[in-house]
Structures are given as C-alpha cells and as structure tokens.
RNA sequence: GGCGCGGUAGCCAAGUGGUAAGGCAGAGGUCUGCAAAACCUUUAUGCACCGGUUCGACUCCGGUUCGCGCCUCCA
C-alpha cells in the first residue's frame, strides 16, 4: 500500500502524493511563544517531525513552513507587565522552543516564520477579503462574516446552518454581527503594540497570520496542513474561510491533526499540577530520547496516556535497541550468510514500511523491528547469524533510525576520549587475567562514573556510553 | 444539548469476522570471578457489560456503562 494519511476533511485514510508528484508543500501551526513548550505541545511537533521524515523516506522533497506566533493577547499582557518590548519577551521563548526542538532531535522545517514579520501580507489579505465582500468593520476592527462563506464548517464537520446571521452578539470589547464571526484586525487599545493599516492602527487577529504566511510561501493550495486536534475548530476552519475566500481555490488538500496527550488519564492542567516540560523531565533524570520514544510509539491519532512509568520503560527499550546494534557491530561471526536471516530482515523491513505507510502506524512499525531483534538475537546466540548477515541487519536499523532517530548516543562535552577508555579496559583485562579482581572492579567503577558501561562477553569486553 | 472518539494483561499499547503484535515491569534461566550488564524463555481461554447477526465476533449491529474531546483560548 502506498503512503496514506487520515484526512480530517474527508474523515478517511487517503493515499497521499504531492500535487506536483515531487515536492510536498506543508504548513504546520507552530508555537505561541509566551512560555516553555509542554510535552503535549512537543507531541504535536514530534508528529510533524515523524511525518516529515516519512515523506522524505518515501522520496519526496519537502517544503515545510512553520510559523511562530509572536503577537497575541497573552504575549502583549505579559510583556507590558514586565515593561519590556514584546519582541524581547517572545525572542526568549522562541529560543527555548528551538532548543527544545533540537534536544528532541526534531528536524527544522525549511522555513520558520514569525507573524510580526508578515503584517504586510496579512493586511493585503484582509484587503482582498474586503474587496470581495467577506468583511465588515466595527469600531476600527475588521471582522470576517462567515455567513458569506459557503462551506464554513466543512473541516470540523459542524453544521452552522442553524446559526442566525444578524443576531448581534457582544463579545468582550468587540462587536460582532454574528457569534461565529471572527476578527481579522483588532483596533488598537491603549498602549499595546500596533501597526498602521488602511483600516486603522491595530494588530492582526490570530487566524489571519497562518493564511497569509502559508499562501505567501506555499501558494494558494497546500499539500498538507497540520496541527493539534484542538485547532481544527475554529482556527483551521477560519483559515479555510480566509484563504479560500480570497483565492477561490481549495486551501489544503490534506488536513492532518495530531491527538492530545494526557497525563495519568487526565488532561494536563495547572490545577492538577501535571504539566511537564522537557526541562522538567530532564531534571527528573529522564532523557530527551526517552520522551521522543514515548511520543513516537503511540500512533498520532490516538490519545497518548503519558506516565512516568512508560517514560522509564522507553529508556529501557532504547537501551535494548542500542545494545543490539552494538552487538551486530562487534560480535565475532563465522563466515558465510544465512538465508533465514536475510529473509527475516526483508520481512521486517517490509512490515516496517507498510506500517508507516498506513497512516504512520508507528506502534506496528516498532513491533516489526523488535520482533526482528528478538529472533536474530537468538540466532546470534546459536551461531546461526553469520558475517554476511551483518549488513542487512544494520541496514534495517539505519532505515528505522532515519525516522525514529534514537540509536545514536550524543557524547556529552568533556567526556572521556575513546582511547583513554580503551587503555583502561586493556588494563582491567590484564588485571582480570591475573585474578586481581579488586583492581578490575575498581577500573569498572571508575569507567562507570565517567558514563561508560562495560559488558564482558565471550568475545571480549564491549563498552558503550550511558 | 449537538457532533465525535475510546474502554485489550500490573503499566504503555497494535490488531483482525477464523481463534490475541510489540515494549516495560514481574517470574524463571543462560553467560560471568562477581555483576548493577547482555541475552533467552514465560506472562490475557480472553479483548468494559448485556443482547443480536454468523458455522464462527475482541473484530459487525443494537443497548448499557465508564472515560475523554470539540462546540470559547488551547498542541
């Protein structure tokens, strides 16, 4: 089966190919930079990363754009409270976010774009909508009249036909003609940051930024638009209304939404005190890879129930994968090649790829790899895994890792050099041979403190970094 | 209230109209001077509950129940 994705528009798993057959034009709703990202945010961005990597695995070229929302109510309030420029506040959290992406081994989208650097494009888009009659003004703000847009609700599958147009609703300080109408341009209030526009000084509404930037960099029709499930309505619905209202063309062919993460069966919330950031988990002694593994091991359309126990388990799983790779690389093997192993590798790879193609079923893909590992470990024990089989096993692991990216250990700065490690191991081996076990244990402990773990195997000593 | 999703072993979870993947934990074992390492084996007569359809259902249909999501800002 070819690569397929669940499309929120059709509520079906559909086969995916970019419209030009080669380059995937993809847009992802990025973070609002007013705080550290929590693991729920990171799940969605990890999903983007998985999708990116699989699309590339399948030979497509990526043109992926992600926005940074750096102007928004909370940001304005906080930066004004602190008495600092808005950009000083947002740049700080943008930096933290990009660091977290890096730590989580997420690939950077081809373009990361800031809302505040595209005000012009947003104003242009609003003017286009004005000309086409999709807007109305109210007290210096500009609103989108959804009753003008046929098909409003087609993404979130809500029926808005019962909504009474013209029933004037007061919402906050803004006057809207219809409860569902949303603001395109907010009139300036007090001292808050504002930009000049033909319709008066103010700032853009949240929804217009994504439409403007996505269309600027990717054209009128995107191949894929992603985001968290909660964004489907109203954010993405509004993006459709804006973009399709202006261009008259479909805005995105595929809408792909990542489900939420829960902690211990509950929604993350301040009152429950169960909001974790990457930094929180690292402080508790967990690794970023373990979080990456947990986030990736549950298919993106399923709610993910996060527990610290599963995070611990993820680390053990990663260690097992790494140990296996080390074993394949270092075990002494007899000459020849066993057909049975070749067959297992071929089957495992086929199952891995078919699972990923099937709407990114990462759980099943992972199972294929673990199954192969268990079977071939047994064959290694029995001497049936031969020299000529190394390449196929390593190839499977390499392919797996182009998507999962957890096998490589990042050596901490200031760590012990390989040569120093080797020298100590040689000394320990000599001590062992002389039955000076206290000395050999001493060296083992010394290395352990430096983050080096030794394993005595029948083929000699094997070591790895923790 | 409207629309929608889900309840599979201690935990995280995949899956199919034909008799339950995988990972972690637990138990047993192999190797080892020892081992905190590594590896192997094992672990649900049953897939929320009650009916129905069927030769056969965890898988389809109906009902019940529990949990969750969107409908307002939210990944």
């Amino acid at each position: 089966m070819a690569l397929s994705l669940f499309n929120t528009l059709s509520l079906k798993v559909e086969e995916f190919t970019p419209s030009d057959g080669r380059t995937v034009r993809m847009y992802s709703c990025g973070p609002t930079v007013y705080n550290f990202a929590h693991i729920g945010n990171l799940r969605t961005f990890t999903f983007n990363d998985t999708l990116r990597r699989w699309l590339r695995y399948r030979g497509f070229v990526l043109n992926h754009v992600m926005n940074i929302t750096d102007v928004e109510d909370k940001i304005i309030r906080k930066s004004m409270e602190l008495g600092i420029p808005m950009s000083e506040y947002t740049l700080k959290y943008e930096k933290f976010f990009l660091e977290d992406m890096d730590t989580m081994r997420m690939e950077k989208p081809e373009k990361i774009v800031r809302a505040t650097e595209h005000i012009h494009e947003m104003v242009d888009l609003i003017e286009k909508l004005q000309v086409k009659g999709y807007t109305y003004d109210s007290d210096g703000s500009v609103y989108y009249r959804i009753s003008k847009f046929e098909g409003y609700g087609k993404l979130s599958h809500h029926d808005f036909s019962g909504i009474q147009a013209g029933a004037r609703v007061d919402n906050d300080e803004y006057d809207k003609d219809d409860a569902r109408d949303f603001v395109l341009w907010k009139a300036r209030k007090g001292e808050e940051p504002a930009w000049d526009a033909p319709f008066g000084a103010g700032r853009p509404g949240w929804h217009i930024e994504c439409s403007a930037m996505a269309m600027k960099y990717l054209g009128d029709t995107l191949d894929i638009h992603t985001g968290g499930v909660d964004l489907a309505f109203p954010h993405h619905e509004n993006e459709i209304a804006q973009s399709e209202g202006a261009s008259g063309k479909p805005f995105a062919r595929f809408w792909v939404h990542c489900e939420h993460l829960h902690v211990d069966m509950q929604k993350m919330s301040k009152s429950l005190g169960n909001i974790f950031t990457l930094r929180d988990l690292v402080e508790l002694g967990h690794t970023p890879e373990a979080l990456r593994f947990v986030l990736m091991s549950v298919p993106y359309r399923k709610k993910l129930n996060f527990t610290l126990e599963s995070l611990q388990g993820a680390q053990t799983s990663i260690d097992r994968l790494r140990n296996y790779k080390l074993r394949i690389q270092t075990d002494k093997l007899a000459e020849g090649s066993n057909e049975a192993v070749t067959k297992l590798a071929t089957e495992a790879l086929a199952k891995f790829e078919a699972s990923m193609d099937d709407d990114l079923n990462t759980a099943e893909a992972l199972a294929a790899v673990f199954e192969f590992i268990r079977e071939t470990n047994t064959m290694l024990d029995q001497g049936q895994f031969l020299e000529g089989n190394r390449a196929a096993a390593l190839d499977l692991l390499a392919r797996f890792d182009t998507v999962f990216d957890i096998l490589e250990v990042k050596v901490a700065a200031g760590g012990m050099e390989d040569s120093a490690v080797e020298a100590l191991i040689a000394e320990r081996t000599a001590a062992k041979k002389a039955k000076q076990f206290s000395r050999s244990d001493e060296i083992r402990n010394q290395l352990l403190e430096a983050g080096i773990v030794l394993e005595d195997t029948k083929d000699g000593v094997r070591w790895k970094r923790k």
Side-chain angles (χ1 to χ4, degrees), chain A residues 72-84:
Chain A
E72 174 261 0
D73 290 353
K74 280 189 285 278
I75 289 171
I76 291 170
R77 181 158 32 86
K78 293 211 177 184
S79 59
M80 284 174 83
E81 274 169 20
L82 292 168
I84 58 173

Side-chain angles (χ1 to χ4, degrees), chain A residues 114-183:
Chain A
R114 298 189 186 106
T116 53
E117 290 169 4
H118 297 79
I119 304 292
H120 206 75
E121 287 80 353
M122 298 178 210
V123 170
D124 285 352
L125 185 56
I126 294 171
E127 286 190 300
K128 209 175 273 182
L129 288 168
Q130 281 184 322
V131 170
K132 294 201 172 187
Y134 284 103
T135 72
Y136 60 92
D137 297 354
S138 178
D139 298 328
S141 292
V142 182
Y143 292 90
Y144 189 102
R145 191 186 301 282
I146 66 145
S147 59
K148 281 286 282 190
F149 182 71
E150 261 183 66
Y152 190 81
K154 67 182 176 185
L155 177 69
S156 52
H157 304 284
H158 280 133
D159 181 7
F160 293 99
S161 58
I163 301 293
Q164 290 184 0
R168 199 171 177 90
V169 178
D170 285 338
N171 187 304
D172 297 333
E173 302 94 283
Y174 302 107
D175 286 332
K176 298 192 283 188
D177 285 357
D178 185 308
R180 305 285 169 173
D181 288 347
F182 59 93
V183 69

Side-chain angles (χ1 to χ4, degrees), chain A residues 265-408:
Chain A
M265 303 297 283
Q266 291 176 300
K267 193 171 177 172
M268 281 191 290
S269 72
K270 277 186 186 155
S271 56
L272 288 168
N274 61 357
I275 299 179
F276 292 102
T277 64
L278 172 60
R279 286 143 209 264
D280 292 336
L281 296 175
V282 169
E283 252 174 55
L284 288 170
H286 296 99
T287 65
E289 298 100 286
L291 179 59
R292 180 174 173 86
F293 187 94
V294 167
L295 298 182
M296 287 191 73
S297 63
V298 179
Y300 77 93
R301 275 205 295 138
K302 291 275 287 194
K303 282 186 195 71
L304 187 159
N305 186 26
F306 178 87
T307 64
L308 288 176
E309 192 183 344
S310 63
L311 190 61
Q312 193 60 53
Q315 186 60 53
T316 312
S317 300
I318 292 171
D319 289 344
R320 177 139 180 250
L321 291 163
R322 288 176 177 171
N323 286 327
Y324 176 78
K325 184 179 176 190
L326 189 64
R327 186 174 189 192
I328 295 295
Q329 288 171 321
T330 60
D331 266 19
K332 285 204 174 68
L333 302 174
E335 288 304 314
S337 178
N338 184 347
E339 269 307 306
V341 177
T342 309
K343 186 159 174 277
L344 284 176
T346 305
E347 286 169 356
L349 182 61
K351 187 180 167 191
F352 175 79
E353 292 181 340
S355 302
M356 290 302 292
D357 275 346
D358 182 14
D359 197 26
L360 307 181
N361 190 338
T362 46
E364 212 169 67
L366 214 40
V369 173
F370 273 108
E371 227 167 310
F372 176 78
I373 287 176
R374 193 191 63 238
E375 284 160 342
T376 50
N377 257 328
T378 305
M379 298 177 100
L380 279 158
D381 286 346
Q382 298 170 344
Q384 292 170 10
F385 190 105
L386 308 176
E387 187 62 44
N389 295 126
R390 265 195 233 271
L394 288 172
D395 179 63
L396 176 67
L397 291 177
R399 286 167 181 271
F400 158 80
D401 213 39
T402 58
V403 185
F404 281 75
D405 197 2
I406 43 164
L407 293 179
E408 207 64 32

